[in-house]
mmCIF file of all heavy atoms in Angstrom:
data_model
loop_
_atom_site.group_PDB
_atom_site.id
_atom_site.type_symbol
_atom_site.label_atom_id
_atom_site.label_comp_id
_atom_site.label_asym_id
_atom_site.label_seq_id
_atom_site.Cartn_x
_atom_site.Cartn_y
_atom_site.Cartn_z
ATOM 1 N N ARG G 45 -55.605 135.597 -35.810
ATOM 2 C CA ARG G 45 -54.835 134.510 -35.282
ATOM 3 C C ARG G 45 -54.847 134.569 -33.737
ATOM 4 O O ARG G 45 -54.723 135.654 -33.148
ATOM 5 C CB ARG G 45 -53.387 134.712 -35.743
ATOM 6 C CG ARG G 45 -52.432 133.593 -35.269
ATOM 7 C CD ARG G 45 -51.038 133.812 -35.956
ATOM 8 N NE ARG G 45 -50.638 135.203 -35.836
ATOM 9 C CZ ARG G 45 -49.692 135.800 -36.581
ATOM 10 N NH1 ARG G 45 -49.023 135.093 -37.491
ATOM 11 N NH2 ARG G 45 -49.364 137.090 -36.371
ATOM 12 N N GLU G 46 -55.080 133.407 -33.097
ATOM 13 C CA GLU G 46 -55.175 133.412 -31.638
ATOM 14 C C GLU G 46 -54.275 132.404 -31.007
ATOM 15 O O GLU G 46 -53.941 131.360 -31.663
ATOM 16 C CB GLU G 46 -56.600 133.154 -31.209
ATOM 17 C CG GLU G 46 -57.192 131.863 -31.536
ATOM 18 C CD GLU G 46 -58.590 131.639 -30.938
ATOM 19 O OE1 GLU G 46 -58.943 132.283 -29.974
ATOM 20 O OE2 GLU G 46 -59.280 130.713 -31.461
ATOM 21 N N PHE G 47 -53.849 132.610 -29.826
ATOM 22 C CA PHE G 47 -53.001 131.756 -29.045
ATOM 23 C C PHE G 47 -53.830 130.485 -28.557
ATOM 24 O O PHE G 47 -54.928 130.681 -28.197
ATOM 25 C CB PHE G 47 -52.498 132.500 -27.845
ATOM 26 C CG PHE G 47 -51.743 131.551 -26.867
ATOM 27 C CD1 PHE G 47 -50.422 131.237 -27.014
ATOM 28 C CD2 PHE G 47 -52.402 131.126 -25.677
ATOM 29 C CE1 PHE G 47 -49.759 130.329 -26.143
ATOM 30 C CE2 PHE G 47 -51.702 130.328 -24.760
ATOM 31 C CZ PHE G 47 -50.394 129.985 -25.003
ATOM 32 N N VAL G 48 -53.156 129.400 -28.678
ATOM 33 C CA VAL G 48 -53.778 128.162 -28.232
ATOM 34 C C VAL G 48 -52.999 127.578 -27.006
ATOM 35 O O VAL G 48 -53.564 127.414 -25.993
ATOM 36 C CB VAL G 48 -53.784 127.018 -29.375
ATOM 37 C CG1 VAL G 48 -54.354 125.791 -28.853
ATOM 38 C CG2 VAL G 48 -54.638 127.553 -30.518
ATOM 39 N N THR G 49 -51.729 127.354 -27.240
ATOM 40 C CA THR G 49 -50.938 126.787 -26.154
ATOM 41 C C THR G 49 -49.415 127.059 -26.435
ATOM 42 O O THR G 49 -49.040 127.366 -27.559
ATOM 43 C CB THR G 49 -51.156 125.283 -25.976
ATOM 44 O OG1 THR G 49 -50.442 124.780 -24.811
ATOM 45 C CG2 THR G 49 -50.660 124.523 -27.130
ATOM 46 N N ALA G 50 -48.647 126.960 -25.431
ATOM 47 C CA ALA G 50 -47.168 127.017 -25.568
ATOM 48 C C ALA G 50 -46.541 126.126 -24.499
ATOM 49 O O ALA G 50 -47.150 125.821 -23.463
ATOM 50 C CB ALA G 50 -46.653 128.474 -25.382
ATOM 51 N N ILE G 51 -45.339 125.751 -24.912
ATOM 52 C CA ILE G 51 -44.572 124.757 -23.967
ATOM 53 C C ILE G 51 -43.189 125.256 -23.892
ATOM 54 O O ILE G 51 -42.486 125.611 -24.930
ATOM 55 C CB ILE G 51 -44.732 123.337 -24.454
ATOM 56 C CG1 ILE G 51 -44.014 122.344 -23.578
ATOM 57 C CG2 ILE G 51 -44.217 123.134 -25.868
ATOM 58 C CD1 ILE G 51 -44.394 120.933 -23.779
ATOM 59 N N THR G 52 -42.576 125.281 -22.719
ATOM 60 C CA THR G 52 -41.212 125.790 -22.483
ATOM 61 C C THR G 52 -40.225 124.746 -23.004
ATOM 62 O O THR G 52 -40.523 123.579 -23.267
ATOM 63 C CB THR G 52 -40.992 126.067 -20.961
ATOM 64 O OG1 THR G 52 -41.267 125.002 -20.204
ATOM 65 C CG2 THR G 52 -41.913 127.289 -20.618
ATOM 66 N N TRP G 53 -38.914 125.204 -23.009
ATOM 67 C CA TRP G 53 -37.911 124.367 -23.553
ATOM 68 C C TRP G 53 -37.714 123.010 -22.884
ATOM 69 O O TRP G 53 -37.330 122.026 -23.546
ATOM 70 C CB TRP G 53 -36.589 125.180 -23.548
ATOM 71 C CG TRP G 53 -36.051 125.317 -22.165
ATOM 72 C CD1 TRP G 53 -36.310 126.299 -21.289
ATOM 73 C CD2 TRP G 53 -35.130 124.479 -21.476
ATOM 74 N NE1 TRP G 53 -35.622 126.185 -20.072
ATOM 75 C CE2 TRP G 53 -34.925 125.008 -20.234
ATOM 76 C CE3 TRP G 53 -34.495 123.308 -21.790
ATOM 77 C CZ2 TRP G 53 -34.087 124.359 -19.243
ATOM 78 C CZ3 TRP G 53 -33.724 122.651 -20.831
ATOM 79 C CH2 TRP G 53 -33.482 123.180 -19.595
ATOM 80 N N ASP G 54 -38.001 122.948 -21.561
ATOM 81 C CA ASP G 54 -37.725 121.702 -20.812
ATOM 82 C C ASP G 54 -39.035 120.832 -20.811
ATOM 83 O O ASP G 54 -38.943 119.750 -20.218
ATOM 84 C CB ASP G 54 -37.309 122.016 -19.406
ATOM 85 C CG ASP G 54 -38.277 122.851 -18.628
ATOM 86 O OD1 ASP G 54 -39.371 123.165 -19.127
ATOM 87 O OD2 ASP G 54 -37.965 123.192 -17.504
ATOM 88 N N GLY G 55 -40.085 121.292 -21.451
ATOM 89 C CA GLY G 55 -41.292 120.416 -21.466
ATOM 90 C C GLY G 55 -42.113 120.458 -20.200
ATOM 91 O O GLY G 55 -43.173 119.771 -20.109
ATOM 92 N N VAL G 56 -41.717 121.149 -19.151
ATOM 93 C CA VAL G 56 -42.361 121.179 -17.946
ATOM 94 C C VAL G 56 -43.461 122.217 -17.801
ATOM 95 O O VAL G 56 -44.580 121.992 -17.386
ATOM 96 C CB VAL G 56 -41.380 121.363 -16.750
ATOM 97 C CG1 VAL G 56 -42.086 121.468 -15.418
ATOM 98 C CG2 VAL G 56 -40.417 120.244 -16.722
ATOM 99 N N GLY G 57 -43.179 123.416 -18.352
ATOM 100 C CA GLY G 57 -44.147 124.495 -18.306
ATOM 101 C C GLY G 57 -45.002 124.482 -19.540
ATOM 102 O O GLY G 57 -44.501 124.592 -20.663
ATOM 103 N N THR G 58 -46.348 124.377 -19.344
ATOM 104 C CA THR G 58 -47.300 124.468 -20.433
ATOM 105 C C THR G 58 -48.359 125.469 -20.082
ATOM 106 O O THR G 58 -48.768 125.632 -18.894
ATOM 107 C CB THR G 58 -47.962 123.111 -20.777
ATOM 108 O OG1 THR G 58 -48.486 122.570 -19.545
ATOM 109 C CG2 THR G 58 -46.910 122.156 -21.343
ATOM 110 N N TYR G 59 -48.812 126.162 -21.063
ATOM 111 C CA TYR G 59 -49.773 127.281 -20.919
ATOM 112 C C TYR G 59 -50.883 127.136 -22.001
ATOM 113 O O TYR G 59 -50.524 126.856 -23.136
ATOM 114 C CB TYR G 59 -49.061 128.682 -20.957
ATOM 115 C CG TYR G 59 -47.893 128.798 -20.052
ATOM 116 C CD1 TYR G 59 -46.569 128.321 -20.462
ATOM 117 C CD2 TYR G 59 -48.051 129.243 -18.772
ATOM 118 C CE1 TYR G 59 -45.562 128.382 -19.563
ATOM 119 C CE2 TYR G 59 -46.986 129.287 -17.907
ATOM 120 C CZ TYR G 59 -45.729 128.869 -18.306
ATOM 121 O OH TYR G 59 -44.656 128.905 -17.415
ATOM 122 N N TYR G 60 -52.095 127.316 -21.596
ATOM 123 C CA TYR G 60 -53.252 127.134 -22.411
ATOM 124 C C TYR G 60 -54.199 128.231 -22.413
ATOM 125 O O TYR G 60 -54.421 128.883 -21.427
ATOM 126 C CB TYR G 60 -53.995 125.829 -22.009
ATOM 127 C CG TYR G 60 -53.124 124.589 -22.086
ATOM 128 C CD1 TYR G 60 -52.468 124.102 -20.973
ATOM 129 C CD2 TYR G 60 -53.091 123.854 -23.241
ATOM 130 C CE1 TYR G 60 -51.715 122.956 -20.993
ATOM 131 C CE2 TYR G 60 -52.285 122.678 -23.272
ATOM 132 C CZ TYR G 60 -51.681 122.233 -22.212
ATOM 133 O OH TYR G 60 -50.899 121.177 -22.241
ATOM 134 N N ALA G 61 -54.785 128.487 -23.611
ATOM 135 C CA ALA G 61 -55.884 129.393 -23.668
ATOM 136 C C ALA G 61 -57.072 128.838 -22.919
ATOM 137 O O ALA G 61 -57.243 127.598 -22.977
ATOM 138 C CB ALA G 61 -56.287 129.672 -25.162
#
Side-chain angles (χ1 to χ4, degrees):
R45 183 174 48 195
E46 66 174 340
F47 172 80
V48 177
T49 185
I51 183 166
T52 55
W53 69 271
D54 59 4
V56 174
T58 52
Y59 306 88
Y60 298 92

